[in-house]
Every structure is written in structure tokens, then in C-alpha cells.
Amino acid sequence: MPPRPRADVVASAHDEIRVMTREARRSGAINLAQGVGELPVLPEAVDAAVAALRGGQHGYSIREGRAELREAIARRCAVVAGIRPDPETGVVVTAGAVGAYSAAIGALLAPGDGLLLCEPFFTFHRVPAVVAGLEVSAVRREAPGFRLEEGALRAALRPNTRAVVVCTPCNPSGHVMDEGEIEALAKVAAERDLLVLSDEVYAEYVFGGAVHRSPAAHPALRDRTVLLGSLSKAFHVTGWRIGWAVAAAPLAEAIKVANNADIGCAPVPLQLGAVAALGAGEAYFGELRRQTARKRDVMVEALRALGAAPYPGDGGCFLLADVRALGYRSSREAAMALLHDAGVAAAPGFGFYLGGAGGELLRFGFGVAEETVKKAAAALAGARGQLRTEGEHLRWPVPEGAG
């Protein structure tokens, strides 16, 4: 008998986001299902990457990344996260934040260890954990606030739970963790000796008076937290695959080894482009936040006009909306209806929960151009009363490679 792939790994790849992205391409719909990058890239970053290519920067960097990039990451962490890591011992450059996450769980957890996700979670917090052989479970955060409550966190822990993953600002809900949530996390993590993996890819996207707080800045969490960051979203370069892990020196040392085993090193010319990007002035980040808040407000208004119930967060580039009032049996049907009848693709909520939850929710991304958001909003608002509730167009597509 020929070798067979692991069934759990194959199954984990069939997520709602990529199904809807594929269907959006096929139908020509506006894709708000995935965090696609279509915004302008800083010319300084492009120029630095091109100069590196033309200047012969074609070789490896050391496993933890170029020194100038690690220094730039440390400086930005001081501004955004409230910590100033040692760039020599506490920063590892990776292939995007997913690469940082994969290297961290590979270096710091063992097959069979328990990993706790916070529902709703980003789909790629689950997939690398499955590949790594971890036992994945979840703690539910309830709408409309999606806060992490201490009682729910304690109840969700299992005897083998070794780590918990948080995301702030959150993909998919846009929730920004407050001081009380981080205090509860610190208390439980210290009592149970838990590793905390903190996805802060959207740290630059905080608005509405909210404040980004990194768990890594809490005294009780500093030595047990791995901060995961990325160039992708704040600088609209999702294809560059430049991310980082920031951690206490003993944790970072192990992550360096796993990162080197996984990828060798991140692409050097793009590392040098990242140095220029991270040197952008505060005016850049301020305008980024203002534009994103405007786009969020446009989406909220459009979804209410559609008849859905949006849950606007105070950060990130996504929001969740309850679509039960639209009259479909599940959010998958609602997603297909919006795709075909409104020309807008959204991601069903099933992908952000374990065990079949999320059937009432759709995730909408607004990290695209403002003109794209306005076009999608007009299509959604105009679709009220025009959506078909029966027909073959509501059938969920079979994922490619399934069966």
C-alpha cells in the first residue's frame, strides 16, 4: 500500500476562507472573505528591497534575521507593545507571522500537548497546531463583546493544556483585549505555568478610543509570552512573508532553531525592505488607523441596511455579523447567497470555531481599498429584499482536493 497523508492534516486545510476566495475569483465577486492586500506599498520599502536586489544581497542571513531588521522590530515594539526586547537575544525574523507561530509551537511544545484557542479564532491558529500533533481545544468568547472571561478560561483548561493563544486586536472579531482580560490571563497562566502565544499582527490597527495592550508587557507574562508580529497587514505586503517572534532569550533561542529548520531564513532583500517600512513616521500609522476606522463604519452601516446585526470591534480589519435575520439555515448558505446575489464574498463563521459553532456568523474584511469597501457596501445595502432563499446557488462548494 502506498504512503497515505494524515487525514487530520488534509481535513484542516479545507477552510471556509479559501473556499470563498476561490468562489469569488470564479464569479468575479468582491472578496471580503480573505485579508487580501491591495493597498499601496510604501515607496521607501520597495526602493530598499530593489536596492538590495540590485546590490547583490542574494545570500542567506543568519537564522534569526538581519541585525538591522531585528533592531527595527525592537524599536517598533517599544512604541506599540510597550516592551523593548533585546534585538540580539529576543527577536527572531520569520516567514510571516504564521511562520513565527509554527516555529514557536514546534520549538516550545511537544506532540500531544494541549493548545487552547480563543473562539472565535483565526483559522491558521488551528492548522499549524494540527500539523504539529497538538491537542487543540477552545474557550468560547461570547458576542457581542467577545471578551476573554477568567471563569471560562479556567473551565476550558485540560490536564495537558500547555499553552493558550490570544489575538489582539482579534481576527476575526476586531476585539481589543482590555486590562482586565490580560490580568485574568496573567493570573491563570502563572498558576498553570502556561505559555502564551500572542498574535499582534493588527497592533497598528486600533481606533475608537481603544488602546492596544500586549500580554508581553505584563510583568507576570513577560517571560512566558511569545509576541507574534508581521509586516503583512500594516504595510500591505502579504506576499513578502516577513514576520517575527519576540520572546525571552531562552524561548527565542529555541525558536531560532525551529525557524532555521523550517525555512533557513526569511528572504534577505525583503528583510531590508522591511527595515525601511518599519521606519515610517507616526503620520503613516495615524492615517492607517483613520482610514480603517472609516471603512469599518461604512461596513457596519451597510450590514445594518442589509438586515444583518454587525458586531463592530475597535481594531483589526475584520468584523463579524449575525446573519440569522436573513432567513438562511446557516451562514454557509448566507455566504453563497451574498456571493451570487450581491456579488460580495464573506467567510462563514464555522471556520473560526471548533465543533460546528459559528453557524450564525459571517466575517467581513475591510482591509482592502476604501473604494472597494464602498462598492461592496453599496452592493450589500442594495441586496436587502433581493436575496434568494432557495435554489442550487446556496449549495456549499466541495473543497478542491476533497474526497
Side-chain angles (χ1 to χ4, degrees):
M1 181 178 291
R4 293 180 178 273
R6 281 173 48 192
D8 60 339
V9 172
V10 173
S12 72
H14 300 319
D15 68 89
E16 277 78 359
I17 296 172
R18 277 146 191 82
V19 169
M20 291 306 298
T21 289
R22 184 192 70 194
E23 296 304 310
R25 289 172 179 162
R26 285 181 176 175
S27 65
I30 300 170
N31 187 9
L32 302 186
Q34 189 173 11
V36 294
E38 66 172 21
L39 294 170
V41 179
L42 275 171
E44 299 92 327
V46 175
D47 290 346
V50 171
L53 285 165
R54 295 192 183 282
Q57 298 280 357
H58 305 306
Y60 297 118
S61 73
I62 58 175
R63 61 185 183 176
E64 57 264 42
R66 292 284 294 232
E68 54 266 66
L69 178 52
R70 287 181 280 118
E71 175 62 36
I73 291 166
R75 286 197 302 268
R76 196 64 202 161
C77 281
V79 175
V80 180
I83 60 171
R84 183 59 161 88
D86 184 336
E88 291 298 316
T89 62
V91 180
V92 186
V93 178
T94 63
V98 172
Y101 179 63
S102 297
I105 62 177
L108 305 175
L109 300 172
D113 281 348
L115 181 75
L116 187 68
L117 306 181
C118 296
E119 293 177 327
F121 53 77
F122 176 45
T123 55
F124 261 67
H125 291 156
R126 179 176 59 89
V127 177
V130 171
V131 173
L134 303 180
E135 183 181 295
V136 180
S137 59
V139 54
R140 183 71 54 84
R141 294 175 299 173
E142 301 291 350
F146 298 106
R147 297 185 76 259
L148 180 63
E149 302 292 349
E150 182 178 340
L153 176 59
R154 289 185 183 280
L157 295 175
R158 297 178 177 180
N160 69 335
T161 302
R162 288 271 295 108
V164 58
V165 182
V166 297
C167 183
T168 184
C170 180
N171 174 5
S173 71
H175 172 65
V176 179
M177 291 182 73
D178 61 31
E179 190 173 358
E181 291 173 278
I182 293 178
E183 194 64 47
L185 176 64
K187 185 177 179 181
V188 175
E191 290 175 6
R192 285 290 302 269
D193 192 22
L194 298 175
L195 174 71
V196 175
L197 298 156
S198 182
D199 182 341
E200 301 179 28
V201 166
Y202 295 96
E204 303 286 0
Y205 290 88
V206 178
F207 30 80
V211 176
H212 173 65
R213 294 176 173 86
S214 173
H218 191 287
L221 290 171
R222 187 169 296 131
D223 292 336
R224 62 175 67 252
T225 296
V226 180
L227 186 160
L228 309 169
S230 172
L231 204 71
S232 293
K233 303 301 183 179
F235 297 98
H236 325 308
V237 288
T238 53
W240 283 26
R241 310 316 301 140
I242 300 294
W244 50 86
V246 173
L251 304 183
E253 185 61 33
I255 294 170
K256 291 175 191 178
V257 174
N259 185 58
N260 187 53
D262 286 343
I263 65 164
C265 68
V268 168
L270 300 180
Q271 289 192 50
L272 296 174
V275 174
L278 288 167
E282 289 307 312
Y284 171 85
F285 298 105
E287 182 57 25
L288 182 73
R289 288 187 283 271
R290 286 188 290 273
Q291 287 182 0
T292 308
R294 288 199 303 268
K295 290 186 289 186
R296 177 203 60 181
D297 293 344
V298 169
M299 285 302 303
V300 168
E301 183 178 348
L303 288 166
R304 287 175 177 158
L306 175 67
Y311 300 121
D314 289 324
C317 297
F318 299 97
L319 63 81
L320 294 170
D322 188 320
V323 293
R324 284 176 289 187
L326 301 185
Y328 296 97
R329 287 181 288 270
S330 76
S331 57
R332 280 182 168 179
E333 283 196 353
M336 296 307 294
L338 290 179
L339 178 79
H340 291 292
D341 292 343
V344 177
F350 292 113
F352 311 111
Y353 291 82
L354 299 179
E360 76 281 11
L361 298 172
L362 286 178
R363 187 191 74 166
F364 294 84
F366 47 90
V368 293
E370 198 159 0
E371 296 75 19
T372 302
V373 170
K374 289 178 179 178
K375 184 178 178 182
L380 290 170
R384 183 164 190 166
Q386 306 301 313
L387 299 177
R388 292 170 290 167
T389 56
E390 300 291 341
E392 284 297 307
H393 70 293
L394 300 180
R395 186 185 298 276
W396 185 248
V398 177
E400 290 181 344

